[in-house]
Amino acid sequence: MDLFEYQGKQYFARYGIAVSPGGVADTVDQAVEVATRVGYPVVVKAQVKVGGRGKAGGVKLAANEDEVRLHAGNILGLDIKGHVVHRLWVERSSDIAKEYYASFTLDRQNKVHLGMLSAQGGVEIEVVAEENPEAIAFLSIDPVRGLDLATARRWVNEAELDEVAREQAAELLVRLYECYTKGDCDLAEINPLILTPDNKVHALDAKVTLDENASFRHPEWDEFRADEFEDPREKMAKEKGLNYIGLDGTVGIIANGAGLAMSTLDVVNQVGGTAANFLDIGGGADADVMASALEVINADPKVKAIFVNIFGGITRVDDVANGVLEALQRVTISAPIVLRLDGTNAVEGRAILAPHLNEVLITEPTMLDAARRAVGLANA
Amino acid sequence: MSIFVDENTQVIVQGLTGGQGRFHGLRNRDYGTKVVGGVTPGKGGTDVDGIPVFNSVKEAVAATGATASFVVVPPKFAAAAIIEAAQGGINFIVCITEGIPAQDEAVTFNRLVEEFPGVRLLGPNCPGIISPGKCNIGITSGDIALAGGPVGIVSRSGTLTYQALYELSQQGIGQTTCVGIGGDPVPGTNFIDCLSAFEADPETLAVMMIGEIGGSEEERAAEWIKANMTKPVVSYIAGVTAPPGRKMGHAGAIISGSKGTAQAKMDALRAAGVHVCQNPTEAGQKMGEIVKAF
């Protein structure tokens, strides 16, 4: 789960990482309230999960109430790369002497944690990595040993942060590492991490991705979830416990297993179609899950055909077949369904469906045949 | 021959008394796997359909001589179960659990490397391993596999592993061993571990490798293949049409920026002399041609 900047800052604050005083605002009046509370000048920032907000006019400095009203009014409702701004973060403006970069993420190749620190922050780290890689101090961290203050001190020296910033930065990095590990982040990034003219170090931005697998030990994440979904189809799927990603095509896809679902998208594409979604019903899905999956797909008006691709393992094909029949009773499915059924109890599953097959409920013997049929129907 | 497991491998099931553990543990035994014990704290002395249950891995190993463990426990307890297996004297651990936090996986992997260098972990979040006719540890349906070789399979995805087995078995082509390494960010066993074992196995004559988007394990495998592999490799990579920045089901299947795309992986494999195919069926057919030419 990607957090909005304001959520990331709230999460950082839990781990003692210094951020600017500020608050969220969903209306112009709320923005003024926050600004009055934290004191002028303030920065009004669009809360969207996409980069390049500044260039799109989503980050503005305001010296007084009139300017807050002007900027907040302009930014709310602004479309930034397809993300409409519904919420603002208003914070006390900071004077900046220096901008740094700091992040922790998993180094998948070496299976350790990777810290990145640079005295050249404020720009995209990918650009720095490409144009001036020696400006980034990389630190490999053994997950068993973790990061101690002594190592962090050597690291800030190596990155050549300004001397006055080093001790504060080292302490902040240890806290950020704690946030990353104990806080179960896939990514914890501060860009920029700033040094102010009065020699204070703090986080001016926050980019945090949480590892959903760890949500069982983080009840505090519930508050982040309310604003998680911008796509109503994904919201509905999540409520039904389905692993769904909305796309733009016309063939609705249901498969069991992430790999097979990805492969189904590819095959649909290869035979000239476009996928409306990725949907993995997971292992051991029963009839009810299958019915819910069809309901979610059916709610997408762009879907012109539905391709159900099942290779039974833990999932039993007879359960899938029963789920299809259940869904047909529960809701009126508006697009034809093409099924490919193999694996555990495939014979039983096909037998269950046999009496019900017609021009809108079709089975095909192989994945490729079924893909061609579904794409043909969708493109007709 | 087979890799990592064979007909003599003795297996305990951690979590045998749970619903999933019982179902798959008994299914593995029915297949012919030597399932010699189960472990559930507090349930020592009982049995599951004749399989004795012990309170700890240590007790189970002392009583049965098992060297392999099948970990089927919920995500919260999986990391501790893996470490317990290693401490208890197990040297091959298969963990199918899906949903283990990445931080736990990173710590567990490094603890195994540092404290138990002789122990191999397969998974987590994988379908397991099957050497057809000899041993099946995990959740793969034994009836889609065919004994006798000559093909080895290694795959990151569960269902595509079944698809690969099926495509080969349908053509009458057997498998030496089929290894599902799993779709998580920190797999205990990677492509290179399996490729090098298949390269060393005299009965494996060709290898099917199924990858997917995310990470750079396929690219590293390609480098290894170029430098070391003498046997033909057929590959399929899932996720050509996956959008960047979205996790496609598996925690590890995500394109970050320009990294981890299917295209980059296919290019790297092709450059290493691998037969890269567009879908699982095509990969099966290509392998059919290769095997018939032997």
Side-chain angles (χ1 to χ4, degrees), chain A residues 111 142 211 217 263 266 270, chain B residues 102 104 110 114 236 239 241 278:
Chain A
K111 300 183 170 77
D142 180 341
D211 174 10
R217 57 188 175 209
S263 185
D266 293 346
Q270 279 163 24
Chain B
D104 292 3
N110 283 284
E114 290 159 24
Y236 165 66
T241 48
Q278 294 303 314

Side-chain angles (χ1 to χ4, degrees), chain A residues 51-193:
Chain A
R53 289 176 299 172
K55 277 182 200 154
V59 180
K60 294 284 183 190
L61 188 66
N64 53 49
E65 184 178 328
D66 288 345
E67 289 184 15
V68 169
R69 287 195 179 278
L70 173 71
H71 296 313
N74 286 340
I75 297 172
L76 282 168
L78 189 69
D79 186 317
I80 301 177
K81 297 180 186 168
H83 298 249
V84 178
V85 181
H86 299 294
R87 179 163 282 185
L88 305 170
W89 171 254
V90 180
E91 71 178 18
R92 180 71 188 264
S93 169
S94 301
D95 291 326
I96 300 170
K98 279 290 174 57
E99 293 184 305
Y100 310 132
Y101 171 94
S103 72
F104 292 102
T105 187
L106 177 70
D107 174 356
R108 287 174 61 171
Q109 185 161 332
N110 297 303
K111 300 183 170 77
V112 294
H113 294 313
L114 178 69
M116 289 199 274
L117 181 64
S118 176
Q120 297 182 17
V123 288
E124 278 187 51
I125 197 67
E126 289 83 359
V127 176
V128 180
E130 199 144 293
E131 290 173 0
N132 196 9
E134 65 277 12
I136 304 172
F138 295 94
L139 182 69
S140 282
I141 304 161
D142 180 341
V144 180
R145 292 197 186 80
L147 175 65
D148 59 24
L149 191 55
T151 308
R153 283 180 180 137
R154 282 197 297 277
W155 191 25
V156 295
N157 288 341
E158 193 202 329
E160 296 179 343
L161 301 194
D162 298 80
E163 297 231 3
V164 289
R166 288 184 188 180
E167 184 59 23
Q168 283 180 75
E171 286 171 16
L172 183 142
L173 287 166
V174 170
R175 292 191 189 116
L176 184 63
Y177 181 78
E178 186 156 304
C179 175
Y180 166 71
T181 51
K182 294 211 174 76
D184 282 300
C185 303
D186 284 338
L187 169 72
E189 181 186 78
I190 305 175
N191 189 21
L193 175 70

Side-chain angles (χ1 to χ4, degrees), chain B:
Chain B
M1 265 171 69
S2 50
I3 66 168
F4 304 145
V5 293
D6 60 26
E7 60 274 30
N8 300 314
T9 303
Q10 302 207 68
V11 187
I12 56 166
V13 180
Q14 289 172 260
L16 182 65
T17 57
Q20 292 269 336
R22 183 189 169 91
F23 181 77
H24 295 293
L26 294 179
R27 229 160 68 125
N28 287 172
R29 185 184 65 175
D30 290 346
Y31 186 76
T33 309
K34 291 193 169 65
V35 180
V36 295
V39 176
T40 303
K43 295 204 175 157
T46 62
D47 75 280
V48 170
D49 201 33
I51 303 171
V53 174
F54 302 89
N55 284 320
S56 69
V57 172
K58 206 169 212 137
E59 282 175 33
V61 168
T64 66
T67 56
S69 177
F70 177 18
V71 177
V72 199
V73 302
K76 265 188 219 198
F77 310 112
I82 291 167
I83 295 297
E84 192 202 333
Q87 286 170 335
I90 294 292
N91 59 37
F92 185 67
I93 304 165
V94 177
C95 179
I96 65 156
T97 306
E98 178 174 6
I100 301 175
Q103 294 289 347
D104 292 3
E105 288 186 9
V107 171
T108 304
F109 179 88
N110 283 284
R111 278 194 69 186
L112 289 179
V113 169
E114 290 159 24
E115 298 171 41
F116 308 97
V119 173
R120 172 172 300 287
L121 169 67
L122 178 61
N125 190 14
C126 76
I129 181 168
I130 178 168
S131 285
K134 295 174 181 171
C135 180
N136 184 9
I137 307 175
I139 60 179
T140 305
S141 190
D143 55 9
I144 54 172
L146 188 64
V151 176
I153 300 175
V154 56
S155 167
R156 257 173 82 185
S157 146
T159 333
L160 286 178
T161 311
Y162 313 151
Q163 182 76 37
L165 281 166
Y166 183 77
E167 298 282 357
L168 295 179
S169 298
Q170 287 286 91
Q171 302 177 68
I173 299 168
Q175 306 91 32
T176 49
T177 299
C178 172
V179 193
I181 59 176
D184 275 3
V186 194
T189 293
N190 63 22
F191 281 122
I192 296 174
D193 296 327
C194 299
L195 291 167
S196 61
F198 282 132
E199 175 69 14
D201 171 34
E203 284 178 14
T204 301
L205 302 182
V207 177
M208 175 103 91
M209 174 179 154
I210 314 278
E212 64 189 27
I213 56 163
S216 54
E217 289 292 314
E218 288 82 358
E219 287 88 334
R220 293 180 68 214
E223 277 172 38
W224 192 90
I225 289 168
K226 199 170 188 177
N228 303 287
M229 194 96 189
T230 61
K231 299 171 181 179
V233 179
V234 173
S235 184
Y236 165 66
I237 306 292
V240 176
T241 48
R246 307 298 305 268
K247 269 179 197 167
M248 297 306 260
H250 288 155
I254 181 166
I255 298 168
S256 326
S258 60
K259 294 208 181 90
T261 64
Q263 195 57 50
K265 292 171 189 297
M266 294 193 291
D267 291 347
L269 288 163
R270 235 178 240 123
V274 172
H275 303 275
V276 179
C277 298
Q278 294 303 314
N279 57 60
T281 307
E282 198 183 288
Q285 286 163 351
K286 184 72 205 173
M287 187 56 93
E289 289 169 25
I290 289 171
V291 170
K292 276 169 198 127
F294 283 140

Side-chain angles (χ1 to χ4, degrees), chain A residues 6 66 310:
Chain A
Y6 75 92
D66 288 345
I310 303 296

